[in-house]
């Protein structure tokens, strides 16, 4: 019985590790610099940019730096986005930060009062229309 529990535990840990490896950005956290972030915007959109803004995005998210900010404050800090200004979700390109070289974005979500309520990183799925 103990052997089965041990094997089940090892499988759960292994599967969890594999899942995290495929779904988390592969970059180290980096101090946020608004000027550098804005300057790297064009570079993050290149065909093979690397993870040029991912470390700064991790810092913003882990420190809840954007939570509670107004939409205008986000524009001032992060610069423009391709999302419409009336959108409840802004996407900022980070470069290729996931394991399979998928382009990644930092998603900034707003409530009805245009205040940031959530931020996270996700791999872009260009197969969706």
């Amino acid at each position: 019985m103990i052997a089965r529990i041990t094997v089940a535990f090892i499988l759960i840990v292994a599967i969890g590790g594999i899942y995290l490896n495929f779904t988390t950005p592969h970059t180290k956290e980096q101090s946020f610099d608004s000027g550098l972030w804005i300057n790297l915007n064009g570079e993050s959109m290149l065909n093979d940019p690397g993870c040029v803004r991912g470390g700064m995005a991790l810092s913003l998210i882990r420190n809840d730096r954007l939570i509670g900010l107004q939409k205008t404050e986000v524009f001032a800090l992060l610069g423009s986005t391709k999302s419409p200004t009336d959108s409840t979700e802004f996407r900022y390109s980070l470069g290729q930060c996931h394991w399979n070289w998928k382009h990644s974005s930092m998603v900034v979500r707003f409530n009805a009062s245009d205040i940031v309520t959530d931020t996270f990183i996700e791999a872009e799925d260009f197969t969706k229309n």
Side-chain angles (χ1 to χ4, degrees):
M1 180 67 171
I2 292 177
R4 287 185 181 183
I5 292 172
T6 303
V7 169
F9 178 74
I10 291 171
L11 283 173
I12 290 170
V13 169
I15 290 169
I18 291 169
Y19 174 79
L20 287 175
N21 182 58
F22 289 118
T23 59
T24 58
H26 288 237
T27 189
K28 292 182 180 179
E29 190 171 325
Q30 174 185 348
S31 295
F32 178 75
D33 177 324
S34 182
L36 179 60
W37 175 276
I38 292 168
N39 287 336
L40 289 173
N41 183 43
E43 201 170 316
S44 69
M45 302 298 285
L46 297 174
N47 192 31
D48 189 13
C51 188
V52 295
R53 298 197 298 187
M56 288 188 283
L58 286 174
S59 176
L60 289 170
I61 292 167
R62 288 191 180 142
N63 295 312
D64 286 334
R65 177 104 184 257
L66 302 176
I67 301 297
L69 293 182
Q70 293 280 341
K71 202 176 271 192
T72 55
E73 294 172 303
V74 173
F75 273 125
L77 192 63
L78 302 178
S80 62
T81 176
K82 290 189 176 192
S83 307
T85 56
D86 62 345
S87 173
T88 60
E89 182 176 283
F90 287 175
R91 293 178 169 273
Y92 289 92
S93 179
L94 305 177
Q96 295 170 326
C97 300
H98 283 81
W99 72 275
N100 60 353
W101 298 107
K102 283 187 176 181
H103 279 268
S104 306
S105 291
M106 179 174 68
V107 180
V108 180
R109 288 200 175 142
F110 300 91
N111 64 16
S113 300
D114 288 341
I115 295 174
V116 177
T117 58
D118 192 21
T119 56
F120 57 92
I121 295 173
E122 72 179 16
E124 293 293 331
D125 184 0
F126 294 111
T127 61
K128 292 180 183 177
N129 290 348

